[in-house]
Amino acid sequence: MNIINEYNNKTCNFAKSELKDYLSRMGNPDFTITLKIVTPAETRMEKLPDFNPDDSYCIHIDKDTKLILANNPRALLIAVYRYLTIIGCR
């Protein structure tokens, strides 16, 4: 498993460590996933209704591409937890 964190700060590094920890508990899947901070205009992002209205993210996972994008570090951490929930972590 390879996790690329394109934005180096405390919150993004924590998001990466959480993702790595939970994926390793699930058997270390063999893929690369990229965590990236982008502007909402760069991609279609989902607004988070239950959180700060400034937070948005996009999770794009398919056979060839694995991206978790967000417009700020806090939203990136939320997106990582959302992805982990989607794949069965509780």
Side-chain angles (χ1 to χ4, degrees):
M1 162 188 28
N2 184 27
I3 301 172
I4 299 167
N5 178 12
E6 294 192 357
Y7 193 81
N8 186 22
N9 82 0
K10 185 177 179 179
T11 304
C12 293
N13 292 338
F14 181 69
K16 178 183 177 180
S17 70
E18 287 286 270
L19 183 59
K20 184 176 183 175
D21 179 46
Y22 282 92
L23 290 178
S24 67
R25 293 179 194 195
M26 297 177 79
N28 284 323
D30 185 26
F31 61 73
T32 297
I33 188 165
T34 301
L35 308 178
K36 187 174 181 182
I37 303 294
V38 297
T39 64
E42 291 180 72
T43 187
R44 187 185 132 258
M45 290 194 178
E46 177 181 337
K47 291 285 186 184
L48 301 175
D50 298 333
F51 297 93
N52 185 319
D54 295 330
D55 294 335
S56 59
Y57 68 85
C58 177
I59 300 170
H60 180 86
I61 307 290
D62 64 24
K63 181 182 173 196
D64 300 318
T65 306
K66 288 148 183 57
L67 293 169
I68 299 179
L69 309 173
N71 68 328
N72 64 56
R74 177 184 54 234
L76 184 66
L77 180 60
I78 293 166
V80 163
Y81 286 135
R82 177 69 181 135
Y83 172 67
L84 290 170
T85 300
I86 290 167
I87 64 172
C89 295
R90 299 281 184 244

